Amino acid sequence: MPIETRRSDDGQTLTIRVEGRFDFSTHQAFRDAYEHSDASINRYVIDLSDTTYLDSSALGMLLLLRDHAGGDSASISIENCNSDVRRILSISNFEQLFSIC
């Protein structure tokens, strides 16, 4: 499955792992991953360790998640990016909006 979710033991962090291509084909699964979580989630981790490709629709999905999570006050980190994915995020100035590790 291209999108997997995992809640932390304390129930406050939702980790969303994207496998393979992060593009429009994962749009609905990505939205479902966070829209159906409960209000106790206050931090999101996007794990891109197994992501091979990211396009402009994926950037849009990350922005929709940011809006859902509270905009400027959102706590979202994007982790484990390969060099190609990190370059796309950097060119798009996403380090201004997200914590990228």
Side-chain angles (χ1 to χ4, degrees), residues 42 48 62 69 73 81 85-86 90:
N42 59 24
L48 300 181
L62 291 169
S73 64
C81 305
V85 169
R86 182 176 284 277
S90 179

Side-chain angles (χ1 to χ4, degrees), residues 46 48 62 76-81 89 94 98-101:
I46 309 304
L48 300 181
L62 291 169
I76 303 171
S77 61
I78 301 173
E79 300 181 355
N80 305 314
C81 305
L89 293 170
F94 269 48
F98 300 93
S99 170
I100 301 176
C101 331

Side-chain angles (χ1 to χ4, degrees), residues 24-47:
F24 189 75
S25 68
T26 60
H27 177 75
Q28 193 59 53
F30 187 78
R31 284 187 58 187
D32 289 346
Y34 66 83
E35 284 186 343
H36 299 296
S37 61
D38 61 49
S40 66
I41 301 292
N42 59 24
R43 182 171 185 275
Y44 296 86
V45 175
I46 309 304
D47 181 358

